[in-house]
Amino acid sequence: MADDGALSSRPGAAKPRSRIQRRNRKKILEAALDVFSQHGFRGATLDQIAGRAGMSKPNMLYYFDSKEAIHVELLNALMSEWLAPLEALQDAEDPVAEIMGYVRSKMEMSRVMPRESRLFAGEILQGAPRMAPHLKAALKPLFDRKCALIRGWSESGRLAPVDAEHLLFTIWAVTQHYADFEAQVDVLMPEKEAAWRRACAHVEGLFMRLLTPAREAGEI
Amino acid sequence: MADDGALSSRPGAAKPRSRIQRRNRKKILEAALDVFSQHGFRGATLDQIAGRAGMSKPNMLYYFDSKEAIHVELLNALMSEWLAPLEALQDAEDPVAEIMGYVRSKMEMSRVMPRESRLFAGEILQGAPRMAPHLKAALKPLFDRKCALIRGWSESGRLAPVDAEHLLFTIWAVTQHYADFEAQVDVLMPEKEAAWRRACAHVEGLFMRLLTPAREAGEI
DNA sequence: CCGGTTTTTTACCATTTGGTAAAGTCACGA
DNA sequence: TCGTGACTTTACCAAATGGTAAAAAACCGG
């Protein structure tokens, strides 16, 4: 279905890319991340992206076949990076610490990569029209695997009894909120610097209380 | 600032509206909620909205001056409804129960009014370009008032010590997640009916643990 | 420095889209 | 039933936008 291999002479086709190609493709994707994350797919214009990438629209279309191609490439390229912390979740001696590490990673990503968070959020908000297949194919299996892992922890008593699926949902919701709703947070809490430390402390406390098994709860 | 009183002969100006005006304005706003919440402001087209409202584009523009006017009217009309549960938060004998009631209200709203949730989410995601003034003017004072209330509860010991501001953020994040990220939730948890009960149970448990004062924690 | 290849620019184009003008059509009270 | 104002339709328009063609320029191995 992907027209990737059809035109073997087009820049987007084969692996070997010249220095200038790599540089310009990177500039375009960087600019596209800016614009798509702020305006959504339909709200973004090629002129905007090209302008921010420092080149003309036709020149940009020399590197990518279409607006949609840029968007798809961007989402695919970011997907693995975005899911890496969840991928890294694995069996360990202390499941609480393991999950808390995941929570911290996600908070850090929210602070460092807010545009990526908003890009995904916008895509999901609109019903994931261009990402639903990818979600079913890549995210769902990963999600199921990690839920099974968490369920095992709960059943072994090393983790408080929790609903694994909804635990992940709430972790995503809370951590990504600070990136996705940044505009609102900024209005309500003007002092950003201090707010971040407080946010992390609050979020860690929230999940700490949820995850710590009831017996001997004084280990913190 | 609002151009409401400028053209006194236009339908959008004065209060007294005929039966047919009220009916058509309502149909337009209902259709606009559908389309704006799914595609965002720039992604929505007047033809789409008009089509879903069962009338022609020029006819629709007889009732609203512009696309932006529809969007603004929609947001303003929904704002109070959306914030009503927070507005209702007040001093009570049992602060934990009071906040848990708020959490339940928000979960219920996420289920019953997902389009409204997504409309606001999309607006905030894009930096709240058309809502920032409203947020500063209406939401900020309300938010500050309720945070003070919660802080008072915490200081009096009837509520566990919590960061009031971030408590509200996390309540919003978690509850609205089920509406805003519905597409993702659907992919990951196909059985919707059961999922909702589990979601409510999980969310209530999460905040219950956070809010209950440490001493005599067995009251649940 | 030369010839072919890659990259960039200039000049376009068709469609979509928000919005308008003006000619109807309808409702309803005198 | 007739006229007046409220409502609706038809026919448009200008700007924006995704995308293309082809000429021009830059690059690069030999």
Side-chain angles (χ1 to χ4, degrees), chain A residues 85-100:
Chain A
L86 180 58
E87 203 93 54
L89 198 73
Q90 57 180 318
D91 205 355
E93 263 195 48
D94 186 352
V96 174
E98 187 72 12
I99 297 183
M100 292 309 297

Side-chain angles (χ1 to χ4, degrees), chain A residues 51-162:
Chain A
R52 201 170 293 229
M55 68 184 71
S56 68
K57 181 173 59 176
N59 194 14
M60 186 171 72
L61 286 169
Y62 171 74
Y63 291 100
F64 290 92
D65 287 341
S66 65
K67 184 184 183 181
E68 177 127 6
I70 301 177
H71 195 246
V72 167
E73 173 95 3
L74 198 58
L75 285 174
N76 288 347
L78 291 175
M79 196 71 166
S80 59
E81 192 180 356
W82 192 247
L83 292 182
L86 180 58
E87 203 93 54
L89 198 73
Q90 57 180 318
D91 205 355
E93 263 195 48
D94 186 352
V96 174
E98 187 72 12
I99 297 183
M100 292 309 297
Y102 177 57
V103 170
R104 266 185 291 270
S105 295
K106 290 292 290 178
M107 281 299 280
E108 189 61 13
M109 287 179 72
S110 237
R111 203 191 63 190
V112 178
M113 307 167 61
R115 294 173 307 169
E116 287 82 347
S117 185
R118 284 193 282 265
L119 182 75
F120 284 121
E123 185 66 13
I124 305 294
L125 242 195
Q126 304 191 353
R130 278 167 285 277
M131 232 176 38
H134 210 296
L135 288 184
K136 275 198 262 284
L139 178 56
K140 181 72 161 65
L142 175 63
F143 179 77
D144 289 342
R145 235 181 309 136
K146 299 308 176 181
C147 282
L149 177 64
I150 293 169
R151 224 174 288 120
W153 285 337
S154 277
E155 282 164 7
S156 79
R158 289 183 293 165
L159 191 72
V162 286

